[in-house]
C-alpha cells in the first residue's frame, strides 16, 4: 500500500475504537495521517480503549455518538477522509431493538452525509457495509449484482445506510463508496460474546479451556483477515475510480463451520467444541451458505487478500493469548 495519499492528511474514523476502526487508525498513523477517532463506547458494542494501546498519544479521541448531528457537523469539518465504520453490528440485537439499529445504521448515516454535504463537500467517504444485505444467496459466489434481500433488520438498515452514500455520490458529487465486508477476523475483534462475530466467542472459550458451540456445521463462509480489510479501506479511499461503487470483500478459502472449528482447535493446539442444531431464533435470520465473488475490487482497485485463513487464525489466537484480560 502506497502511503502518499495519507501522509499529513486529516482523517476521521467513526467507530474508531472498534475492531476494524482501531486497526485502520494504527495503519494510518504509521502512514503519517492526522487521525481523529469518534466512538460512543456503548458497552455492548465492539469499542475498547485498549484497542488504541500504543497509539493513544498519536490519535485524537472524541467519545461521542454519531447520532448527535451537531457533534458530527463539527467533526467532519476540515477532514480529507471519513472512514465511516460506526455501527450496531449484532443481527439478534437488531431484531430485539430495531429502533436503535435504525437510528445508528440508517438515520445517523443520512445526517453524517448531510453534515459532509453542507460543511465539507470535498471530503472522501468510505462506508463499512456488509454482505448481510444479500440475504440467502441465490447463487454462489455472490457478486455485487446479486439481488439485495436482507433477512434481518440490521441488513435493511445497513443497506439504506450504504445507498445513502452512493446517492450522495451520484447526486451531490460527494465522493463516497462502500465496502461490503464479509466475516472479518483478527486482533481487537470483540470476543466477549457473539455480538460481533460467532468466531469471537469461540476464541474466548477456547482460551478459557471451555468447549464452544458450533451450530449446524455445514454452512459455508468466507473470512477476510483484518490487514487485508484495512488495505481495502485505504485503496478505496485513495482511488477516484472507487467513487459511487460498492465492492465485495472476500478470500481465497471457503470453509464449512465445522471444518473452521477443527482448524481453530488445531491452530490453538487443542480444545473442544460441541455440535448443536441452530437455535430457532437464529435459524430464522440465518443466511445459509455464503461466499463472495470479489473480482470487482480486484480489477478496479487491484485488491487481493494476502493472509491465509490459517495464518489469520494463528495471529488472532496469539494476540488474545497475550491480551485476553482486556477483552473479557
Ligand atoms: N467485523 C465484521 O465481520 C463486519 C462484517 C460486515 C460489516 N462490518 C461493518 O464494519 C463496521 C465496523 O465493524 P467492527 O467489526 O469493527 O465492529 P465494532 O463493533 O468493533 O466497531 C464499531 C464501533 O462503532 C462504535 N459505535 C457504535 N455505535 C456508535 C454510535 N452510535 N456512535 C459512535 N460510535 C458508535 C462502537 O462503539 C464500536 O467501537 C460496522 O459498521 C459493521 O457493520 C463488520
Amino acid at each position: 500500500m502506497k502511503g502518499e495519499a495519507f501522509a499529513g492528511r486529516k482523517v476521521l474514523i467513526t467507530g474508531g475504537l472498534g475492531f476494524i476502526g482501531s486497526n485502520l487508525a494504527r495503519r494510518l498513523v504509521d502512514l503519517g495521517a492526522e487521525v481523529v477517532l469518534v466512538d460512543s463506547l456503548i458497552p455492548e458494542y465492539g469499542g475498547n480503549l485498549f484497542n488504541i494501546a500504543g497509539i493513544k498519544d498519536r490519535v485524537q479521541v472524541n467519545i461521542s455518538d454519531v447520532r448527535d448531528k451537531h457533534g458530527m457537523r463539527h467533526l467532519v469539518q476540515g477532514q480529507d477522509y471519513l472512514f465511516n465504520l460506526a455501527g450496531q453490528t449484532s443481527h439478534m440485537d437488531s431484531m430485539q431493538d430495531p429502533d436503535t439499529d435504525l437510528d445508528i445504521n440508517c438515520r445517523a448515516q443520512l445526517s453524517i452525509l448531510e453534515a459532509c454535504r453542507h460543511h465539507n463537500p470535498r471530503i472522501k467517504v468510505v462506508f463499512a457495509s456488509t454482505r448481510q444485505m444479500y440475504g440467502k444467496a441465490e447463487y454462489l459466489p455472490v457478486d455485487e449484482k446479486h439481488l439485495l434481500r436482507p433477512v434481518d433488520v440490521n441488513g435493511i438498515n445497513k443497506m439504506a445506510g450504504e445507498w445513502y452514500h452512493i446517492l450522495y455520490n451520484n447526486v451531490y458529487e460527494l465522493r463516497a463508496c462502500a465496502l461490503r465486508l464479509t466475516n472479518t477476523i483478527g486482533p481487537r475483534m470483540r470476543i466477549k460474546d457473539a455480538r460481533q462475530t460467532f468466531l469471537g466467542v469461540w476464541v474466548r472459550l477456547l482460551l478459557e479451556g471451555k468447549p464452544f458451540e458450533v451450530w449446524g456445521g455445514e454452512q459455508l463462509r468466507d473470512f477476510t483477515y483484518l490487514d487485508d480489510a484495512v488495505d481495502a479501506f485505504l485503496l478505496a479511499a485513495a482511488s477516484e475510480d472507487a467513487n459511487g461503487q460498492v465492492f465485495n470483500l472476500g478470500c481465497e478459502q471457503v470453509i464449512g463451520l465445522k471444518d473452521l472449528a477443527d482448524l481453530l482447535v488445531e491452530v490453538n493446539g487443542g480444545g473442544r467444541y460441541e455440535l448443536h442444531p441452530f437455535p430457532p431464533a437464529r435459524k430464522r435470520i440465518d443466511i445459509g451458505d455464503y461466499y463472495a465473488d470479489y473480482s470487482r475490487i480486484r480489477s478496479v482497485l487491484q485488491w487481493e487478500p494476502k493472509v491465509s485463513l490459517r495464518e489469520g487464525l494463528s495471529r488472532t489466537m496469539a494476540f488474545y493469548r497475550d491480551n485476553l484480560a482486556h477483552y473479557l
Side-chain angles (χ1 to χ4, degrees), residues 43-60:
E44 289 76 23
Y45 301 168
N48 186 338
L49 279 170
F50 185 74
N51 281 346
I52 54 164
I55 58 159
K56 77 177 174 30
D57 299 332
R58 300 165 68 198
V59 294
Q60 191 187 319

Side-chain angles (χ1 to χ4, degrees), residues 160-171:
E162 176 192 280
W163 278 92
Y164 288 138
H165 285 76
I166 303 307
L167 180 82
Y168 273 57
N169 178 89
N170 295 346
V171 176

Side-chain angles (χ1 to χ4, degrees), residues 11-26 28 35-41 45-47 51 64-67 72 76 81-90 101 104-106 108-109 112-113 124-130 154 158 161-162 165 177-182 184 188 196 226 229-234 236-237 249:
V11 176
L12 184 67
I13 307 177
T14 68
L17 293 173
F19 163 41
I20 302 172
S22 63
N23 284 291
L24 185 57
R26 284 173 186 278
L28 282 162
V35 179
V36 178
L37 310 179
V38 182
D39 204 293
S40 57
L41 279 183
Y45 301 168
N51 281 346
S64 55
D65 198 299
V66 294
R67 287 169 288 186
M72 286 310 296
V76 299
Y81 297 100
L82 166 59
F83 292 98
N84 194 9
L85 277 71
Q88 192 299 108
T89 62
S90 162
D101 196 87
I104 299 175
N105 288 332
C106 180
Q109 303 309 315
I112 290 170
L113 290 162
K124 168 75 183 268
V125 189
V126 185
F127 176 66
S129 186
T130 174
N154 179 264
K158 289 292 285 190
E162 176 192 280
H165 285 76
C177 62
L179 301 179
R180 288 182 182 160
L181 308 182
T182 186
T184 309
R188 304 180 182 86
Q196 189 182 83
L226 171 78
V230 167
D231 282 350
F233 276 96
L234 298 180
L249 299 196

Side-chain angles (χ1 to χ4, degrees), residues 211-279:
F212 62 92
E213 289 186 9
V214 178
W215 297 337
E218 301 305 317
Q219 298 94 322
L220 297 176
R221 286 286 185 273
D222 54 358
F223 293 86
T224 307
Y225 186 65
L226 171 78
D227 291 352
D228 289 326
V230 167
D231 282 350
F233 276 96
L234 298 180
L235 286 166
S239 166
E240 296 301 311
D241 294 336
N243 300 346
Q245 299 259 12
V246 298
F247 297 105
N248 283 346
L249 299 196
C251 68
E252 280 298 311
Q253 188 185 352
V254 176
I255 190 166
L257 293 189
K258 185 177 172 305
D259 292 339
L260 176 70
D262 288 331
L263 181 59
L264 190 65
V265 166
E266 188 191 323
V267 161
N268 185 48
R272 285 180 310 122
Y273 64 87
E274 293 161 0
L275 276 174
H276 289 275
F278 254 87

Side-chain angles (χ1 to χ4, degrees), residues 129-135 180-183 221 287 290:
S129 186
T130 174
R131 57 110 163 95
Q132 190 68 11
M133 64 184 64
Y134 292 117
R180 288 182 182 160
L181 308 182
T182 186
N183 301 283
R221 286 286 185 273
I287 60 166
Y290 175 87

